[in-house]
């Protein structure tokens, strides 16, 4: 439970400081099997307009998260930090420094968990330079 909250709180900080247009522009997100877009971001309305959220069965969230990570890795991103329910990805910029992207997994903790429980993944750009002072390679 603690890692769910840490990931959600971290993304909340990013979402609160981000620009809604930048979130949509910076995050190229395909739908993986069993997931659908959710503009409301379910139980995390503070992400609405600042992150791109997808929802699907909680039982498949881990598989969907792995598919999304593979998608971003194929685009040149690499996982630089993470816990069970959230990861941070970075991609080097040609001019130096890095772009950052955060993915957080969560569910509605106010409802009982069962076979029909919905889970969400939220994706948001990390403002600024994730690795300042690092020269492009």
């Amino acid at each position: 439970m603690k890692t769910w909250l840490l990931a959600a709180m971290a993304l909340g900080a990013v979402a609160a400081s981000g620009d809604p247009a930048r979130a949509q522009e910076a995050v190229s997100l395909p739908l993986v099997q069993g997931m659908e877009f959710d503009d409301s971001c379910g139980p995390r309305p503070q992400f609405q307009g600042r992150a791109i959220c997808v929802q699907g069965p909680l039982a498949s969230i881990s598989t969907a998260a792995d598919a999304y990570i593979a998608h971003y890795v194929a685009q040149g991103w690499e996982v630089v930090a993470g816990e069970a329910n959230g990861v941070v990805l970075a991609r080097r910029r040609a001019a130096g420094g890095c772009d950052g992207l955060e993915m957080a997994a969560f569910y509605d903790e106010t409802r009982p968990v069962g076979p029909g429980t919905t889970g969400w993944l939220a994706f948001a750009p990390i403002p600024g330079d994730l690795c300042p002072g690092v020269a492009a390679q």
Side-chain angles (χ1 to χ4, degrees):
M1 184 67 70
K2 182 177 178 184
T3 55
W4 284 94
L5 294 174
L6 289 174
M9 288 187 323
L11 186 60
V14 169
S17 64
D19 173 4
R22 186 168 181 252
Q24 299 296 321
E25 173 183 308
V27 180
S28 164
L29 192 69
L31 277 177
V32 300
Q33 185 174 354
M35 302 301 289
E36 54 188 60
F37 288 110
D38 179 5
D39 292 336
S40 74
C41 294
R44 303 287 191 271
Q46 68 271 29
F47 295 170
Q48 189 175 21
R50 300 186 183 286
I52 296 177
C53 295
V54 294
Q55 69 173 359
L58 183 59
S60 345
I61 288 295
S62 180
T63 302
D66 290 344
Y68 282 115
I69 291 169
H71 165 77
Y72 285 111
V73 167
Q75 291 184 359
W77 294 83
E78 65 180 273
V79 175
V80 295
E83 295 183 354
N85 301 307
V87 297
V88 173
L89 298 112
R91 181 173 57 186
R92 294 201 182 279
R93 299 176 186 150
C98 299
D99 290 320
L101 176 68
E102 186 171 9
M103 177 184 75
F106 54 93
Y107 65 98
D108 187 345
E109 296 173 25
T110 65
R111 302 184 72 160
V113 176
T117 300
T118 299
W120 285 264
L121 294 170
F123 299 84
I126 298 172
D129 189 348
L130 189 64
C131 51
V134 177
Q137 295 183 4

